[in-house]
Amino acid sequence: DGGITQSPKYLFRKEGQNVTLSCEQNLNHDAMYWYRQDPGQGLRLIYYSQIVNDFQKGDIAEGYSVSREKKESFPLTVTSAQKNPTAFYLCASKRDYGYTFGSGTRLTVV
Amino acid sequence: QKEVEQDPGPLSVPEGAIVSLNCTYSNSAFQYFMWYRQYSRKGPELLMYTYSSGNKEDGRFTAQVDKSSKYISLFIRDSQPSDSATYLCAMSGLMEYGNKLVFGAGTILRVKS
């Protein structure tokens, strides 16, 4: 079955640590997106990529980094510069209309 | 002011009720309107998709778009406990390559049996 796979499902980060969230898709979609979801705030765009080796900042890119070396993969790194990283992170790819989402990664700072 | 406004709820209704969920927006360039359903600790899934103004029906679900009022609605008939979820509206301008969606905050719906 085609879809988007996010891993891990749960992730715990210590203060000052960088962590990387994985996003893999087998839908052959060119455009991919990372969103952060906090209670009562909906989805906020972190980064997006339209093609391999190209990506743009979204509305809340500070403290995050991405790479797009392969069409299928769009990993997100949450750096120590992100002061409030505890949230639910969603990866998506663009379909004919709308997006297809992964099942999300819940990141918690401990 | 946010581009898309959506009442976060929670909205609690008895089983079998008709549910009305709404969003307002400020950007007149929006042409594509979507509703996503998100169960707890899961990713959103596309429920309804509408282009420009008008109505679209799919089973128990009806999506309405009123571009003159910048107002969209999702109606759920004969609501079921399995409809309990967060409903997110989303919209965009031209659905060209890589165009971005703007999401509402989501409305929490609880259907009581």
Side-chain angles (χ1 to χ4, degrees):
Chain A
D1 288 337
I4 296 182
T5 301
Q6 288 188 244
S7 62
K9 191 174 180 63
Y10 298 97
L11 186 58
F12 298 91
R13 192 195 93 166
K14 294 181 180 179
E15 294 282 351
Q17 191 178 48
N18 292 356
V19 292
T20 297
L21 284 59
S22 172
C23 177
E24 303 279 333
Q25 56 107 350
N26 60 2
L27 300 166
N28 200 35
H29 290 165
D30 287 310
M32 297 185 72
Y33 307 80
W34 272 106
Y35 284 90
R36 169 179 172 142
Q37 188 174 31
D38 296 279
Q41 294 198 52
L43 275 63
R44 292 184 290 168
L45 182 63
I46 304 172
Y47 267 98
Y48 65 104
S49 168
Q50 299 183 18
I51 55 173
V52 174
N53 293 321
D54 183 63
F55 47 83
Q56 288 80 40
K57 293 181 179 180
D59 301 317
I60 55 165
E62 185 175 351
Y64 299 97
S65 66
V66 294
S67 63
R68 187 83 186 278
E69 297 176 1
K70 298 186 300 181
K71 187 175 185 177
E72 300 79 20
S73 179
F74 191 39
L76 174 73
T77 296
V78 184
T79 74
S80 58
Q82 172 49 241
K83 298 307 178 187
N84 185 24
T86 295
F88 189 51
Y89 290 86
L90 287 159
C91 179
S93 67
K94 183 180 178 296
R95 48 190 287 182
D96 291 342
Y97 46 86
Y99 294 171
T100 297
F101 283 89
S103 56
T105 294
R106 185 164 299 279
L107 173 63
T108 303
V109 174
V110 296
Chain B
Q1 182 187 6
K2 294 181 180 179
E3 274 192 294
V4 179
E5 297 280 358
Q6 185 176 9
D7 186 338
L11 178 62
S12 186
V13 301
E15 183 176 355
I18 296 174
V19 175
S20 173
L21 303 167
N22 311 292
C23 288
T24 59
Y25 62 95
S26 57
N27 190 342
S28 57
F30 288 147
Q31 298 183 45
Y32 297 86
F33 304 91
M34 280 143 271
W35 286 94
Y36 285 83
R37 177 175 62 196
Q38 184 178 23
Y39 292 113
S40 181
R41 291 184 287 278
K42 300 290 186 182
E45 55 178 331
L46 183 65
L47 198 59
M48 297 287 285
Y49 165 82
T50 309
Y51 170 70
S52 194
S53 286
N55 295 356
K56 186 172 184 178
E57 187 173 323
D58 184 1
R60 296 185 295 112
F61 299 90
T62 299
Q64 285 186 353
V65 175
D66 182 349
K67 290 189 70 179
S68 62
S69 302
K70 296 190 180 67
Y71 188 88
I72 69 170
S73 300
L74 177 70
F75 297 96
I76 306 174
R77 291 182 298 281
D78 187 24
S79 56
Q80 302 295 310
S82 58
D83 294 327
S84 298
T86 297
Y87 289 80
L88 299 148
C89 63
M91 49 199 78
S92 72
L94 294 175
M95 285 293 279
E96 292 174 345
Y97 183 62
N99 199 32
K100 296 173 288 180
L101 286 179
V102 180
F103 287 86
T107 299
I108 298 170
L109 173 65
R110 296 174 183 155
V111 181
K112 299 174 293 184
S113 58

